[in-house]
């Protein structure tokens, strides 16, 4: 528990990411491009806050998220949770599962470092007015509400 966590940019980025995904999915149709649409929603939805917090936007974040989110959600997280659930049964087996999850994190980081080396990865831009951020999120809400 950290009482200063709400002051951390990652707290707000996570919060806004979940909010735009939920809002976007309640206003978008489901089809075979659903997974790709989620990546676009997250990328556009985090752009104003990312510009405010870091004065730059990653142009490759959609691509990196398209790899990292399923990788974590379908491999690392289930293996790690299985490791936690088996701690009371077999310490050796859970240790093996944690090692596999750790190895999966390592390979994810290798892939993300390769993406980081690609050219044109960052667009530097400064946004200092809170009104522009609010206006951007109003536009994003309108964009997401169209079916």
């Amino acid at each position: 528990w950290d009482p200063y966590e709400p002051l951390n940019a990652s707290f707000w980025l996570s919060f806004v990411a979940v909010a735009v995904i939920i809002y976007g999915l309640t206003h978008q149709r489901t089809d075979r491009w659903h997974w790709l649409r989620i990546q676009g929603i997250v990328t556009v939805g985090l752009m104003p806050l990312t510009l405010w917090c870091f004065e730059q936007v990653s142009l490759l974040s959609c691509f990196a998220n398209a790899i990292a989110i399923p990788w974590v959600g379908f491999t690392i997280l289930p293996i790690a949770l299985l490791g936690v659930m088996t701690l009371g049964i077999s310490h050796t087996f859970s240790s093996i599962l944690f090692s596999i999850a750790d190895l999966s994190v390592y390979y994810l980081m290798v892939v993300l470092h390769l993406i980081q080396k690609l050219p044109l990865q960052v667009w530097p831009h400064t946004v200092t007015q809170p009104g522009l951020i609010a206006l951007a999120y109003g536009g994003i809400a309108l964009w997401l509400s169209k079916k």
Side-chain angles (χ1 to χ4, degrees), residues 52-64:
W52 180 327
C53 293
F54 305 112
E55 298 179 348
Q56 63 183 6
V57 170
S58 171
L59 301 175
L60 299 174
S61 65
C62 187
F63 180 60

Side-chain angles (χ1 to χ4, degrees), residues 16 19-28 40-41 44-46 48 132-147:
V16 170
V20 296
I21 289 171
I22 291 170
Y23 183 80
L25 292 181
T26 58
H27 292 88
Q28 298 289 317
I41 288 170
V44 173
L46 290 180
L132 288 176
I133 301 298
L135 190 61
Y137 277 111
I140 290 169
L142 284 174
W143 171 65
L144 292 175
S145 66
K146 293 186 175 191
K147 291 192 177 193

Side-chain angles (χ1 to χ4, degrees), residues 79-137:
I79 293 168
L81 288 175
L82 190 57
V84 169
M85 291 189 306
T86 59
L87 265 172
I89 301 167
S90 171
H91 201 346
T92 305
F93 184 65
S94 24
S95 178
I96 291 169
L97 290 171
F98 290 138
S99 295
I100 293 170
D102 182 55
L103 190 62
S104 186
V105 170
Y106 171 78
Y107 285 118
L108 174 60
M109 295 309 293
V110 168
V111 170
L112 293 177
H113 283 310
L114 290 173
I115 293 171
Q116 183 184 15
K117 292 179 189 271
L118 293 173
L120 298 173
Q121 62 170 315
V122 175
W123 176 56
H125 191 75
T126 304
V127 176
T128 56
Q129 296 95 356
L132 288 176
I133 301 298
L135 190 61
Y137 277 111

Side-chain angles (χ1 to χ4, degrees), residues 22-49:
I22 291 170
Y23 183 80
L25 292 181
T26 58
H27 292 88
Q28 298 289 317
R29 65 184 183 280
T30 302
D31 57 14
R32 65 182 177 175
W33 300 105
H34 184 70
W35 178 74
L36 192 58
R37 187 173 288 119
I38 292 172
Q39 299 306 318
I41 288 170
V42 170
T43 300
V44 173
L46 290 180
M47 236 180 235
L49 189 58

